């Protein structure tokens, strides 16, 4: 399935967001483990198919939120469960904000002048609403 949010972006831009993630918080690297195998470096992680799949999963969640802007509550149960799953794999709530920063950085690079303060605020609000719901699940 192709994510509509990704259609807005040249293919190199999600890479910028990914690179930014480990620049912002190198401690996130050990959380991305597949089959109990830890990545030796951010570069190794960034090119792993499982990690790229996770990026796609994140973007699908964002895409679902954009599609349900007027009725985000219908995603509440899904997002709460997603928060719980992330707690189970050792993700801290603060780390969701780091992902948000990378997302905004990528959008800024992609949209250039069109990334006005209003657009930035709209994306921040959307992402924060997603994270708040994940956090509710993380805390229960
Ligand atoms: C699953 C890590 C943030 C969406 C996972 C998994 C890991 C993980 C280890 C399980 C393996 C996998 O499916 O790849 C992290 C870390 C994060 C983070 C370290 C923060 C730094 C997010 C955010 C979203 C998200 C912000 C969405 C907005 C998902 C989804 C799944 C997933 C949809 C699949 C859940 C399922 O299988 O039901 N994440 N994640 N993740 N993550 Fe994340």
């Amino acid at each position: 399935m192709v994510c509509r949010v990704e259609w807005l972006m040249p293919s190199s831009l999600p890479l910028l967001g990914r690179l930014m993630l480990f620049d912002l918080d190198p401690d996130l690297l050990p959380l991305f483990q597949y089959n109990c195998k830890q990545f030796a470096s951010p570069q190794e992680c960034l090119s792993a198919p499982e990690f790229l799949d996770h990026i796609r999963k994140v973007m699908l969640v964002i895409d679902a939120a954009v599609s349900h802007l007027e009725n985000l509550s219908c995603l509440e149960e899904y997002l709460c469960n997603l928060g719980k799953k992330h707690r189970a794999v050792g993700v801290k709530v603060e780390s969701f904000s780091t992902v948000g920063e990378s997302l905004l950085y990528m959008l800024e690079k992609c949209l250039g002048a069109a990334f006005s303060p209003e657009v930035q605020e709209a994306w921040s609000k959307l992402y924060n609403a997603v994270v708040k719901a994940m956090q509710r699940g993380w805390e229960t």
Side-chain angles (χ1 to χ4, degrees):
M1 191 183 349
V2 181
C3 170
R4 269 176 287 144
V5 175
E6 278 182 320
W7 292 353
L8 295 171
M9 300 169 192
S11 58
S12 58
L13 283 161
L15 178 64
L16 275 178
R18 276 180 247 152
L19 288 170
M20 179 78 175
L21 186 66
F22 294 120
D23 280 349
L24 287 173
D25 188 355
D27 291 343
L28 289 178
L29 187 63
L31 296 177
F32 291 102
Q33 283 188 27
Y34 301 98
N35 299 323
C36 301
K37 190 183 168 287
Q38 229 169 290
F39 294 108
S41 65
Q43 286 68 26
E44 199 192 330
C45 179
L46 292 169
S47 53
E50 297 92 340
F51 182 76
L52 300 181
D53 255 6
H54 183 266
I55 300 282
R56 185 166 295 276
K57 288 174 193 172
V58 173
M59 297 311 280
L60 284 171
V61 173
I62 302 299
D63 192 52
V66 170
S67 308
H68 294 87
L69 257 189
E70 306 300 325
N71 184 21
L72 270 183
S73 59
C74 71
L75 296 177
E76 177 75 15
E77 198 183 334
Y78 172 76
L79 292 174
C80 279
N81 278 327
L82 195 56
K84 278 189 194 135
K85 283 184 184 172
H86 282 79
R87 185 183 56 192
V89 293
V91 179
K92 298 206 167 62
V93 182
E94 308 86 77
S95 302
F96 294 141
S97 311
T98 312
V99 176
E101 262 185 78
S102 314
L103 177 73
L104 288 181
Y105 175 78
M106 179 178 68
L107 285 166
E108 184 185 352
K109 292 288 164 210
C110 175
L111 297 175
F115 196 67
S116 62
E118 293 78 15
V119 171
Q120 175 172 7
E121 201 193 332
W123 277 105
S124 283
K125 273 190 180 162
L126 174 89
Y127 185 77
N128 286 338
V130 168
V131 165
K132 281 259 177 300
M134 287 173 76
Q135 192 172 341
R136 282 193 283 277
W138 196 95
E139 283 164 354
T140 53

